Amino acid sequence: MSGPEVRFQGVGVAPGIARGAVFIYHPDDEEPPKRRIDSSEIANEIARFETALIATRAQILEMQQRIAEAIGAKDASIFDAHLLVVEDRTLIDEVLRTLERNSFNVEFIFAEVANRYAHTLSQIDDPYLRERAFDIHDVTRRVLRNLSGRSPQTLASIASPYVIVAHNITPSDTATLNRQWVLAFATDVGSRTSHTAIMARSLNIPAVVGLGDMSSRLRPGDHVLLDGTNGLVIQNPTDETLWEYGEVEVRLEKVEQGLIGLRETASTTADGKHIILSANIELPDDVSSVVSAGAEGIGLYRTEFFFLNKTELPNEEEQFHAYRAVATGIAPQTVIIRTLDLGGDKFLSHSHLPTELNPFLGCRAIRFCLERPDIFKVQLRAILRASEIGNVRMMFPMISGVSELKQAKDVLEVCKTELRVEGVAFNEELEVGIMIEVPSAALVADSLAKEVDFFSIGTNDLIQYTIAVDRVNERIAHLYQPTHPAILRLIELTVSAAHANGIWVGVCGEMAGEISLTPLLLGLGVDELSASAGLVPRVKKAVQSLDISECLQLIEGIKGLNSATAILARCEEVARKHYPELLN
Ligand code: PEP
Ligand code: MG
């Protein structure tokens, strides 16, 4: 029998209502339990260990088979190294010897011995052996899971519909999951602009983050109702709650139906100004959702998601095929391919890069690429080759000033020269733009505008760097204020520098999809908005409902205000006047 209804309040980051059983996802970084055992228990511990090794071997073989069928034998062969670990006699014998000597439970002993092995290998100055340390870690986690009796946990292995509940879900987790079975996400930590939240919006999956300790209070199979608009998760919803939400769903469905009719219409304001409305994507497969949302092309393709969960960096050919597939899929409209933005909260799974104390302020994005021209050039060549069909633009992330931009452009020139010498075709007229997402870039936007063809304002980072509020830290989420007067000033500076130099300027951060802020962004004069595909229809409706003249009045009216809350209230007032049905 189900218990009483319990409500958990968090932050809604992707709209929609979902209901279903929960799948509680535990990433495998938990410590194994430590328990003294009696000598009479040793035989049983050895038997448990052997069973776990057999189960692990079977799981690896099955996974290898699945991956070979899905993406090819080459990628599947990485599991050969994992099989060698479960069959490693030296490791196994050492566990058995230590078990007899030390009398602790086998998971504790195994974790200790395996970690010692991995540590020794990781210290050796040989890339192959260091790689084996990662294999040992992976296999260790799997064996420990089998010893604990828990089913193997990867989001990719889910095969029926669930609401995924976790302490945290990383961008790598979201990149692998089978979206067909994910009804919704709910996490203890996170914020609106974490890349996990962005991914959820992109996949059109309702999501709530910042739920405190909810993941430890729910049990596998519990039934919940999740309201991604209001940031609510309801455990054991009563019949009355279900009925209320049934009504809400009928209302939302009506709004959605109305929006579908806008697909073929232009995003032009009521008084006739056209605003380019594009969509952001993370993976090549997302192109179809951009087309069906009625967007005018792709304003931001976050290429780094293609690099996550890979044991090796994708080579030029693989990248070229991915970029060309996106360009072909979106033609005749354009795609802005952003060069790698690794670091921050997006890391390579098998990276040998040192961990940093402040990754968002560290060797992220263009900084990483300039430090590693070997990796950067492969991507630039692939993008250049894909540009041949004519609808590709390129954009550099995290540019902080002119000299950094010039360095990036120099590497691009080297790649162009190489391709010309090799006789490989690319678009000589390729347009190159930059993200304006570091405050210093906004402040020198007048100089930067002379060097590029367009700007795209990355408000997610611009806000975190300007107000010094970590975008993924839920404790300070209340300080993350898109309508902070400092942010508005930086956007104004960027727009006026762009227009004075004859280039266009867009917004591709999450602010572009916040319909209560559409009047603000239009009033500030941006030419393009690029939002998650799922949000595009409502942004289009907002644009069509507004008058530029009224948006300009809004900007005049907030000039004397110095409170983010007061400015937000004014924006909401305008939005509510024109499209109340989208805001409730
Ligand atoms: C941004 O910072 O606003 C942006 C669009 O880039 P990302 O969210 O990938 O950092
Ligand atoms: Mg950014």
Side-chain angles (χ1 to χ4, degrees), residues 399-402 434-449 455-458 462 466 486-498:
I399 291 291
S400 60
V402 174
I434 53 170
M435 307 260 316
I436 299 286
E437 53 182 345
V438 180
S440 58
L443 292 168
V444 298
D446 51 344
S447 309
L448 290 166
F455 284 159
S456 188
I457 305 177
L462 187 63
T466 305
I487 303 299
L488 307 193
R489 283 196 209 177
L490 291 176
I491 297 178
E492 261 176 343
L493 268 181
T494 307
V495 172
S496 66

Side-chain angles (χ1 to χ4, degrees), residues 517-534:
L517 302 180
T518 315
L520 180 77
L521 294 177
L522 298 198
L524 288 169
V526 303
D527 305 295
E528 182 231 27
L529 295 172
S530 190
S532 298

Side-chain angles (χ1 to χ4, degrees), residues 563-581:
S563 140
T565 320
I567 296 173
L568 176 62
R570 292 283 183 91
C571 299
E572 285 173 343
E573 208 178 292
V574 179
R576 193 156 290 124
K577 179 173 146 198
H578 291 283
Y579 37 89
E581 74 286 4

Side-chain angles (χ1 to χ4, degrees), residues 337-544:
I337 304 183
R338 178 176 74 181
T339 59
L340 270 182
D341 181 8
L342 287 168
D345 60 348
K346 291 169 288 195
F347 301 102
L348 297 174
S349 37
H350 278 238
S351 159
H352 298 301
L353 306 172
T355 51
E356 297 175 303
L357 212 49
N358 291 308
F360 274 116
L361 296 178
C363 192
R364 180 187 169 192
I366 198 69
R367 301 170 182 180
F368 170 75
C369 287
L370 291 175
E371 193 186 88
R372 293 294 304 267
D374 52 329
I375 295 175
F376 194 28
K377 279 179 66 190
V378 170
Q379 180 174 45
L380 295 182
R381 284 174 56 101
I383 298 174
L384 281 168
R385 287 173 57 196
S387 77
E388 205 234 329
I389 67 168
N391 63 339
V392 171
R393 292 175 177 145
M394 182 189 286
M395 174 157 78
F396 297 126
M398 279 275 288
I399 291 291
S400 60
V402 174
S403 47
E404 196 171 44
L405 170 60
K406 285 192 168 158
Q407 282 180 62
K409 283 171 68 180
D410 286 347
V411 184
L412 180 61
E413 281 312 310
V414 170
C415 294
K416 286 184 179 177
T417 309
E418 280 178 12
L419 291 177
R420 283 187 201 109
V421 171
E422 291 164 26
V424 178
F426 65 91
N427 177 11
E428 290 278 356
E429 309 299 320
L430 174 78
E431 288 184 18
V432 176
I434 53 170
M435 307 260 316
I436 299 286
E437 53 182 345
V438 180
S440 58
L443 292 168
V444 298
D446 51 344
S447 309
L448 290 166
K450 295 182 175 55
E451 300 287 333
V452 292
D453 298 303
F454 62 91
F455 284 159
S456 188
I457 305 177
T459 50
N460 304 338
D461 281 311
L462 187 63
I463 298 168
Q464 83 159 340
Y465 294 134
T466 305
I467 318 182
V469 181
D470 181 344
R471 66 190 262 187
V472 298
N473 184 341
E474 73 285 356
R475 277 179 67 190
I476 48 169
H478 60 287
L479 300 174
Y480 188 95
Q481 296 174 315
T483 51
H484 191 298
I487 303 299
L488 307 193
R489 283 196 209 177
L490 291 176
I491 297 178
E492 261 176 343
L493 268 181
T494 307
V495 172
S496 66
H499 291 169
N501 286 281
I503 64 169
W504 63 267
V505 51
V507 173
C508 63
E510 297 312 296
M511 240 175 126
E514 299 268 356
I515 49 174
S516 49
L517 302 180
T518 315
L520 180 77
L521 294 177
L522 298 198
L524 288 169
V526 303
D527 305 295
E528 182 231 27
L529 295 172
S530 190
S532 298
L535 299 177
V536 163
R538 53 195 65 225
V539 178
K540 190 183 274 186
K541 173 75 180 165
V543 170
Q544 292 177 344

Side-chain angles (χ1 to χ4, degrees), residues 540-560:
K540 190 183 274 186
K541 173 75 180 165
V543 170
Q544 292 177 344
S545 313
L546 289 164
D547 265 331
I548 286 290
S549 55
E550 196 176 355
C551 299
L552 290 170
Q553 273 169 24
L554 168 71
I555 301 298
E556 276 309 303
I558 59 177
K559 279 229 159 94

